[in-house]
């Protein structure tokens, strides 16, 4: 049943049923009930302090709001359909419970600044949850990197075997990306956590409000300095969505990696049974569905970002109803990012790395060719000449169906006298990896330093 509208006074006819449903955002914004009540309590307290409302009214309002919060949380008060949005629902319920005092709460406030406040408060709190989930994932990645620091694997460019590395090194690359995702979210959160309340409909108010008091009561970093900006701006949603989109890009690339690694062609990892699925027809299948879904859901978060940008791009100042769409986009992205992180972390934590297979793969594909060129360069040959000779040696190996490690010394020496017996230890996979000790390099020692660094930052 639709409730009577608070603004019904000006109208002769009730809103059409379809139009009423279309207009309502309750289904989407009811999750902000706690923030709405918190904001209203801060607002009412300020009205009292400024002598705008008498203490008797404000006490009743605050008690009423606290009661509503408790009843929503206990389930005694369901947020049933019918209201236009969560703000109207709570105000109507308050007036139902306490009468006229409830009707005074909206003094020196508009739904325009109210909704802008609520969404900022809601997202500010949710960013903390997402950051905690990313921290859990980083911790799992770092543990896995430490566990596989001594596992030798090929690294790729163009998806062609390129150079040997510690397996943990590529895992740590993802840990570093995820650290930056946290920084971006925290940075966006700082700018978001500023109070628009007191902007009212768009022009501020003639009442002697104390906006800073409200901001402080809500633990915000100050007030928005322009009332039109206060009610019109949704750039904090765009910032958050773009931070989410980038986070999903990282999860999606990581997913793609896991999907490749767990294929029969690679067999670098085995995912735990509890994070894979079977096929309805092919009995041999063990599919990496979780990673695929994360990769797929990335598209949806990009869509949410595009939706938000597109909603805003042609809007004149100040509030327009189009802006009600902000919550659909930002909440969908938020929920998606959270479920993705919740399933991705245990999938990584339970993933087994198959060291024998990564080692075997590293033995193929001439991935120590750079090291062979470096060997000659360190003996005085210019790098470009060394590079050319090693290219010819690789071609010879391919023709003879052998690898650099098994080509006889006599064959090497046809190219240059600089080759001596020590070349074989210099190009062994163990040497190639352990000597990549430059800062941020691919050796096990470097991986352990990175692990320590990330744990310190966390
Ligand atoms: N439900 C609305 C929203 O989410 C609240 C603001 C409505 N303001 C108005 N003037 N109709 O944007």
């Amino acid at each position: 049943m639709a409730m009577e509208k608070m603004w019904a006074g000006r109208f002769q006819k009730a809103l059409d049923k379809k139009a009423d449903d279309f207009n309502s955002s309750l289904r989407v914004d009811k999750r902000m009930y706690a923030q709405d009540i918190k904001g209203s309590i801060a607002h009412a307290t300020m009205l009292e302090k400024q002598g705008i409302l008498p203490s008797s009214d404000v006490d009743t309002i605050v008690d009423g709001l606290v009661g509503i919060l408790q009843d929503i949380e206990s389930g005694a008060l369901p947020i049933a359909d019918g209201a236009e949005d969560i703000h109207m629902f709570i105000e109507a319920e308050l007036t139902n419970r306490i009468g006229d005092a409830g009707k005074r709460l909206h003094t020196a406030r508009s739904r325009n600044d109210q909704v802008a406040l609520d969404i900022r408060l809601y997202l500010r709190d949710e960013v903390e949850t997402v950051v905690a989930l990313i921290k859990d994932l980083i911790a799992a990645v770092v543990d896995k990197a430490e566990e596989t620091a001594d596992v030798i694997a090929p690294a790729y460019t163009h998806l062609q075997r390129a150079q040997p590395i510690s397996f943990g090194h590529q895992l740590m690359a993802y840990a570093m990306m995820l650290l930056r995702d946290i920084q971006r979210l925290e940075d966006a959160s700082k700018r978001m956590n500023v109070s628009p309340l007191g902007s009212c409909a768009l022009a501020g108010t003639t009442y002697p409000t104390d906006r800073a008091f409200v901001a402080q009561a809500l633990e915000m970093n100050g007030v928005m300095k322009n009332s039109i900006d206060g009610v019109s701006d949704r750039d904090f949603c765009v910032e958050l969505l773009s931070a989410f989109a980038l986070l999903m890009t990282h999860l999606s690339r990581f997913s793609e990696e896991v999907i490749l690694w767990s294929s029969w062609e690679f067999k670098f990892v085995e995912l735990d049974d509890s994070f894979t699925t079977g096929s309805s027809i092919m009995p041999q299948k063990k599919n990496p569905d979780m990673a695929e879904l994360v990769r797929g859901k990335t598209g949806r978060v990009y869509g949410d970002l595009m939706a938000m940008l597109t909603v805003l791009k042609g809007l004149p100042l100040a509030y327009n109803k189009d802006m009600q769409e902000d919550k659909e986009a930002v909440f969908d992205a938020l929920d998606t990012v959270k479920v993705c992180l919740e399933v991705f972390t245990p999938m990584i934590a339970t993933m087994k790395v198959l060291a024998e297979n990564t080692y075997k793969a590293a033995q193929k594909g001439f991935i120590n060719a750079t090291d062979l060129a470096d060997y000659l360069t360190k003996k005085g040959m210019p790098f470009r000449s060394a590079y050319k000779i090693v290219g010819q040696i690789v071609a010879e190996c391919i023709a003879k169906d052998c690898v650099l490690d098994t080509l006889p010394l006599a064959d090497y020496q046809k190219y240059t006298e600089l080759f001596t017996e020590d070349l074989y230890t210099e190009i062994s996979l163990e040497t190639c990896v352990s000597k990549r000790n430059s800062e941020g390099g691919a050796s096990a020692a470097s991986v352990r330093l990175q692990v320590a660094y990330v744990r310190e930052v966390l």
Side-chain angles (χ1 to χ4, degrees):
M1 253 287 285
M3 289 161 52
E4 204 211 322
K5 299 288 180 247
M6 274 172 203
W7 37 257
R10 189 217 176 283
F11 294 84
Q12 313 287 320
K13 278 165 86 179
L15 188 58
D16 171 83
K17 170 81 178 83
K18 277 256 180 281
D20 196 19
D21 291 345
F22 185 62
N23 195 45
S24 170
S25 56
L26 187 67
R27 183 182 51 81
V28 176
D29 61 28
K30 63 178 168 194
R31 60 165 85 190
M32 305 193 304
Y33 68 86
Q35 287 73 21
D36 192 73
I37 289 173
K38 209 170 157 183
S40 289
I41 291 175
H43 177 66
T45 312
M46 180 277 291
L47 293 178
E48 176 185 11
K49 180 184 86 75
Q50 296 301 99
I52 300 169
L53 285 190
S55 299
S56 52
D57 278 343
V58 173
D59 291 348
T60 325
I61 290 172
V62 172
D63 286 350
L65 288 170
V66 170
I68 292 174
L69 180 62
Q70 285 165 351
D71 290 349
I72 292 176
E73 251 142 37
S74 73
L77 175 62
I79 304 177
D81 290 351
E84 198 172 317
D85 52 32
I86 189 62
H87 325 292
M88 293 294 215
F89 174 85
I90 288 170
E91 195 185 324
E93 179 63 27
L94 182 69
T95 303
N96 246 346
R97 291 184 181 201
I98 66 169
D100 274 359
K103 298 184 189 165
R104 297 209 168 92
L105 169 62
H106 213 51
T107 310
R109 186 174 76 169
S110 151
R111 250 189 312 157
N112 296 347
D113 56 344
Q114 187 179 359
V115 67
L117 175 75
D118 291 1
I119 185 168
R120 282 167 188 267
L121 291 176
Y122 182 83
L123 293 175
R124 171 191 81 177
D125 296 345
E126 285 295 313
V127 164
E128 271 183 43
T129 310
V130 174
V131 166
L133 288 171
I134 302 175
K135 284 186 178 168
D136 291 346
L137 173 55
I138 295 176
V141 171
V142 165
D143 287 350
K144 195 57 64 181
E146 188 174 45
E147 196 184 300
T148 57
D150 292 308
V151 172
I152 291 177
Y156 298 77
T157 60
H158 311 270
L159 206 54
Q160 305 283 323
R161 290 186 187 121
Q163 290 179 332
I165 57 164
S166 150
F167 190 86
H169 192 51
Q170 50 197 339
L171 294 177
M172 287 311 294
Y174 285 103
M176 302 300 174
M177 295 177 224
L178 292 165
L179 269 189
R180 289 193 297 276
D181 287 320
I182 291 181
Q183 290 167 356
R184 266 184 285 272
L185 287 170
E186 287 179 339
D187 186 50
S189 180
K190 247 183 265 156
R191 263 187 301 282
M192 177 192 303
N193 193 21
V194 176
S195 175
L197 207 74
S199 299
C200 303
L202 76 130
T205 178
T206 54
Y207 290 100
T209 52
D210 184 347
R211 296 185 56 204
F213 173 86
V214 175
Q216 208 175 17
L218 296 169
E219 293 168 280
M220 302 184 93
N221 310 321
V223 301
M224 297 192 68
K225 303 292 185 200
N226 178 296
S227 62
I228 294 187
D229 184 41
V231 291
S232 309
D233 156 51
R234 292 293 184 271
D235 57 14
F236 61 96
C237 293
V238 175
E239 278 193 59
L240 194 62
L241 283 165
S242 51
F244 283 160
L246 204 41
L247 166 64
M248 289 303 294
T249 306
H250 295 150
L251 294 184
S252 185
R253 291 185 75 172
F254 204 166
S255 295
E256 172 63 14
E257 218 87 74
V258 168
I259 292 162
L260 281 174
W261 290 342
S262 60
S263 69
W264 280 102
E265 284 69 17
F266 278 76
K267 268 283 162 237
F268 286 1
V269 302
E270 171 146 21
L271 293 176
D272 195 77
D273 281 1
S274 52
F275 290 94
T276 46
T277 64
S279 152
S280 60
I281 174 169
M282 297 166 282
Q284 82 283 13
K285 294 284 289 258
K286 186 170 173 186
N287 298 327
D289 288 31
M290 308 309 132
E292 291 169 83
L293 276 171
V294 169
R295 189 178 58 183
K297 284 178 190 293
T298 300
R300 152 183 201 142
V301 174
Y302 291 177
D304 291 325
L305 170 62
M306 278 308 129
M308 190 70 243
L309 284 168
T310 313
V311 162
L312 291 178
K313 78 174 272 293
L315 289 187
L317 298 174
Y319 178 84
N320 299 269
K321 193 71 174 216
D322 315 45
M323 289 158 75
Q324 181 163 284
E325 289 290 308
D326 59 355
K327 288 170 278 314
E328 297 239 19
V330 90
F331 293 167
D332 180 70
L334 173 68
D335 296 346
T336 306
V337 160
K338 278 163 64 180
V339 280
C340 287
L341 286 166
E342 277 163 4
V343 57
F344 203 86
T345 300
M347 180 187 74
I348 294 297
T350 55
M351 174 180 87
K352 268 206 218 75
V353 177
L354 307 174
E356 257 177 51
N357 295 350
T358 61
Y359 192 84
K360 255 189 251 151
Q363 285 174 313
K364 296 176 206 145
F366 301 98
I367 67 176
N368 46 4
T370 314
D371 299 86
L372 187 61
D374 285 342
Y375 169 88
L376 290 178
T377 309
K378 283 175 190 161
K379 290 198 169 185
M381 186 181 283
F383 181 77
R384 275 292 158 234
S385 316
Y387 172 92
K388 191 171 168 194
I389 288 181
V390 173
Q392 290 162 348
I393 296 173
V394 166
E396 182 174 340
C397 287
I398 292 170
K400 292 187 164 155
D401 197 20
C402 68
V403 291
L404 295 175
D405 314 66
T406 53
L407 186 74
L409 186 60
D411 288 329
Y412 273 111
Q413 286 174 338
K414 284 182 305 191
Y415 293 93
T416 161
E417 301 278 274
L418 292 176
F419 283 125
T420 51
E421 192 61 42
D422 62 342
L423 81 89
Y424 295 102
T425 45
E426 281 306 300
I427 65 166
S428 78
L429 289 176
E430 287 74 12
T431 314
C432 293
V433 175
S434 68
K435 280 201 166 171
R436 287 218 153 65
N437 239 335
S438 55
E439 192 175 351
S443 70
S446 161
V447 169
R448 290 195 181 94
L449 286 176
Q450 295 172 52
V451 164
Y453 165 78
V454 172
R455 284 191 180 141
E456 170 88 30
V457 173
L458 284 186

